[in-house]
């Protein structure tokens, strides 16, 4: 019937009028009361074909209720048939002669009331006279159907044809009254749809205007919730988001795609279409995809009582959801641009502060505190693998109980270390993978773990955690991975600096300190200590070793002597290759007499542990804060004089240069 309204129609004084024919149309315009009679010219057309049978049935029921009250027809057989000789409805038995009569009336195209008798080729039942009454449209006289009436012969009256003609007109009146009611109902439905569409557009326009004024993701979603709550107060609305962590709004929840694959939300998200189904007795649930131009971000989940579902304008809510999706994307892009600027500033600030220090301990401590501040985390820990014991050592953590702790490679940190890939965990309670001592200790539910690369190689992990579930977002996850790169670069710089410093202060052959480093350390100690001793050790006849065995063997002997001296020295003593075959040990806060026992140990061990076996001469000098002159030069002079005496008096011996002798 919707198409019927659009066929040759125009709008006059708020009503839609069909134009049957030009002359009738002109007559309508000339009529002083056209509004009262316009339905008289309404007729069925090709677009009403699907509704004719239903109208025939309804008209038949009304017509029959009056016709059966006529005395001569109260025992008659009544039926109505369509143009395909199919009975639509009947009252009384359908005899085979009735079927044959209807077939004949349709096939022959009969246009009048016809009594079917024996001479017409129909075997008529002796009790009934059978009449077919064709029904035609008003205008084009097209066959709509056929009424068939079987009249009892004993009840027949002389004027039966006139009576049947009257019933025909009555049926046509019933038919067109039903048709007009149907037409008006359809027209009102169209007006209602039009009003609803106008209402949708008006509401949507207001919502769009409000959303365009908002560049905040949370504000966009709140606008949707508030609008739905205002328009449909009896409906429950929840947004299940597939990403971005947890928002403060309790109406926004995470969407778990690994759950029930038949759930409304999962199906609506994966199939990207509206899904509706009964949820519980007298309850209905609907899933509407929340999407924009770039993708689908979640699902709006609607719950309503079954009797209220029809009152929910799904088209309007869907349009609101699509509009919100676009506004959400715009707000997200605005938020991401702001976040990117902030991230760049944070990276710049973090990099500058990290590179201000070349001490690894300071770098790790500062990094932990900054990561907690940036991600609003409760706990953070930086781990580094020790190549000797193959365990993770805590470089720094804000959790005191984790200091000096060691972790095996079997947990989450080991997984990140081996794969070199970052890892995010939203709910540790329901996590079925490898456990985490860090998570158990801190009682955390959410965690981000990223690899720590030093000199381009994964050497540890950075862990950030919080006790709330779903606390960190994928944006946090991505940003932490970026920050870990800069932390690794700072650690690499500090490591390289430490290595360069070590190379600058350590002799490449013996592994002992170089002389200029020990000189500087002695001068610093002389400013703070009250005494100290310097032991200078010289390999006896070292030139003969080089000449006899070669310089390579001589280098080996130097290494062996260096190891002996290093093992004999204390943890605070400074061992250095003083030059050539001379090696020195500075013993802080120790007198020359106290250092003589260490010297004797060295003198005895050297011949036993060197190959070829050699001996050493040792000279010892000391300084005291009571000396008239305290300097590196005077201390070295005393030790060198003592060594000179030891070598001139037969070698393989120890000489202590006293301040008395020096004077």
């Amino acid at each position: 019937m919707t198409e019927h309204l659009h066929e040759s129609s125009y709008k006059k004084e708020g009503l839609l009028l069909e134009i049957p024919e030009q002359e009738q149309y002109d007559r309508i315009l000339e009529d002083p009361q056209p509004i009262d009679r316009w339905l008289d010219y309404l007729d069925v057309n090709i677009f009403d074909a699907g509704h004719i049978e239903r109208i025939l049935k309804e008209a038949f029921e009304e017509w029959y209720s009056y016709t059966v009250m006529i005395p001569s027809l109260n025992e008659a057989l009544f039926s109505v048939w369509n143009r395909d000789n199919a009975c639509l409805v009947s009252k009384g038995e359908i005899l085979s002669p009735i079927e044959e009569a209807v077939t004949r009336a349709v096939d022959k195209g009969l246009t009048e009331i016809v009594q079917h008798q024996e001479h017409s080729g129909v075997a008529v039942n002796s009790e009934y006279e059978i009449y077919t009454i064709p029904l035609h449209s008003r205008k084009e006289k097209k066959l709509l159907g056929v009424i068939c009436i079987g009249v009892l012969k004993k009840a027949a009256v002389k004027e039966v044809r006139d009576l049947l003609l009257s019933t025909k007109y009555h049926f046509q009146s019933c038919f067109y009254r039903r048709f007009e009611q149907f037409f008006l109902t359809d027209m009102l439905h169209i007006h209602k749809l039009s009003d609803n569409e106008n209402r949708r557009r008006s509401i949507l326009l207001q919502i769009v205007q409000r959303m365009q004024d908002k560049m905040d993701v949370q504000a966009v979603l709140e606008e949707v919730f508030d609008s739905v709550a205002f328009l449909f107060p009896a409906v429950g609305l929840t947004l299940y988001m597939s990403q971005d962590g947890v928002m403060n709004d309790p109406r926004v929840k995470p969407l778990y795609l690994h759950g029930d694959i038949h759930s409304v939300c999962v199906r609506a998200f994966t199939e990207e279409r509206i899904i509706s189904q009964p949820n519980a007795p007298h309850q209905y649930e609907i899933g509407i995809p929340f999407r924009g131009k770039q993708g689908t971000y979640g699902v709006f989940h609607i719950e309503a009582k079954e009797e209220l579902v029809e009152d929910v304008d799904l088209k309007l809510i869907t349009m609101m959801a699509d509009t919100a999706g676009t506004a959400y994307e715009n707000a997200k892009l605005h938020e991401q641009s702001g976040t990117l600027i902030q991230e760049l500033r944070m990276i710049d600030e973090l990099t500058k502060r990290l590179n201000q220090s070349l001490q690894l301990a300071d770098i790790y401590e500062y990094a932990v505190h900054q990561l907690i501040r940036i991600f609003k985390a409760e706990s953070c820990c930086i781990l580094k693998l020790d190549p000797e014991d193959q365990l993770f050592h805590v470089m720094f953590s804000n959790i005191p109980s984790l200091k000096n702790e060691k972790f095996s490679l079997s947990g989450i940190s080991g997984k990140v270390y081996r794969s070199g890939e970052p890892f995010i965990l939203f709910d540790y309670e329901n996590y079925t993978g490898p456990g985490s001592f860090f998570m158990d200790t801190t009682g955390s539910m959410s965690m981000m773990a990223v690899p720590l690369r030093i000199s381009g190689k994964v050497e540890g992990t950075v862990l950030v955690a919080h006790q709330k579930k779903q606390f960190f977002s994928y944006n946090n996850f991505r940003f932490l991975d970026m920050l870990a790169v800069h932390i690794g670069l700072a650690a690499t710089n500090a490591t390289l600096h430490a290595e360069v410093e070590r190379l600058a202060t350590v002799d490449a052959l013996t592994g002992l300190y170089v002389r200029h480093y020990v000189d500087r350390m002695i001068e610093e100690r002389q400013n703070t200590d009250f005494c100290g001793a310097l032991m200078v050790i010289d390999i006896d006849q070292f030139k003969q070793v080089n000449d006899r065995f070669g310089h390579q063997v001589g280098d080996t002997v130097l290494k062996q002597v260096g190891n002996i001296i290093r093992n004999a020295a204390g943890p605070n003593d400074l061992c250095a290759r003083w030059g050539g075959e001379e090696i020195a040990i500075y013993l802080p806060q120790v007198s020359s007499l106290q250092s003589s026992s260490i010297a004797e140990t060295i003198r005895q061990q050297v011949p036993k542990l060197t190959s070829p076996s050699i001996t050493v001469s040792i000279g010892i000098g000391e300084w005291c804060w009571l000396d008239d002159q305290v300097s590196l030069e005077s201390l070295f002079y005393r030790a060198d004089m003592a060594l000179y005496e030891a070598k001139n008096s037969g070698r393989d011996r120890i000489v202590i240069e006293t301040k008395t002798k020096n004077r």
Side-chain angles (χ1 to χ4, degrees), residues 46 82 86 126 191-192 224 319 325 404 424-425 441 458 606 627:
I46 188 172
N82 64 13
S126 58
H191 278 289
K192 182 178 179 181
V224 178
M319 293 169 67
N404 303 321
I424 186 169
L425 183 61
T441 302
V458 178
V606 167
D627 292 345

Side-chain angles (χ1 to χ4, degrees), residues 236-251:
L237 180 66
T238 305
L239 174 59
Y240 288 90
M241 294 288 286
S242 63
Q243 57 182 6
D244 289 332
V246 173
M247 295 185 180
N248 295 327
D249 196 327
R251 297 167 294 185

Side-chain angles (χ1 to χ4, degrees), residues 4 18 20-21 24 39-49 52 55-56 81 83 110-111 133-146 168-169 171-173 175-177 179-180:
H4 184 93
E18 184 186 11
E21 292 179 358
Q24 291 177 331
L39 285 175
D40 293 345
Y41 304 99
L42 186 67
D43 202 357
V44 296
N45 59 35
I46 188 172
F47 300 106
D48 302 319
I52 290 176
I55 299 173
L56 284 172
W81 304 68
R83 292 179 299 178
L110 300 178
T111 59
I133 307 172
L135 303 170
H136 298 93
S137 62
R138 285 173 172 171
K139 183 172 56 176
E140 298 180 0
K141 303 303 180 182
K142 290 185 177 180
L143 183 66
L144 302 176
V146 176
K168 173 183 177 178
Y169 293 145
F171 189 95
Q172 287 181 332
S173 175
F175 175 86
Y176 276 99
R177 183 163 57 255
F179 177 72
E180 291 162 3

Side-chain angles (χ1 to χ4, degrees), residues 217 241-247 297 328 332 472-475:
V217 170
M241 294 288 286
S242 63
Q243 57 182 6
D244 289 332
V246 173
M247 295 185 180
Y297 305 101
Y328 175 84
K332 201 68 179 173
F472 302 112
S473 69
Y474 284 107
N475 286 335

Side-chain angles (χ1 to χ4, degrees), residues 18 161 190 214 239 304 395 468 543 545:
E18 184 186 11
R161 280 182 176 277
I190 291 174
K214 297 177 174 63
L239 174 59
M395 296 292 99
K468 288 185 179 180
K543 185 176 183 303
V545 174

Side-chain angles (χ1 to χ4, degrees), residues 353-369:
R353 292 291 299 274
L354 288 175
N355 291 330
Q356 284 178 358
S357 174
L358 291 173
Q359 299 298 318
L360 277 172
D362 295 339
I363 290 173
Y364 291 136
E365 180 178 359
Y366 178 76
V368 165
H369 291 314

Side-chain angles (χ1 to χ4, degrees), residues 253-268:
K253 299 180 180 179
L255 175 63
Y256 297 109
L257 297 179
H258 57 270
D260 182 7
I261 60 173
H262 299 295
S263 70
V264 166
C265 292
V266 173
R267 287 184 57 200

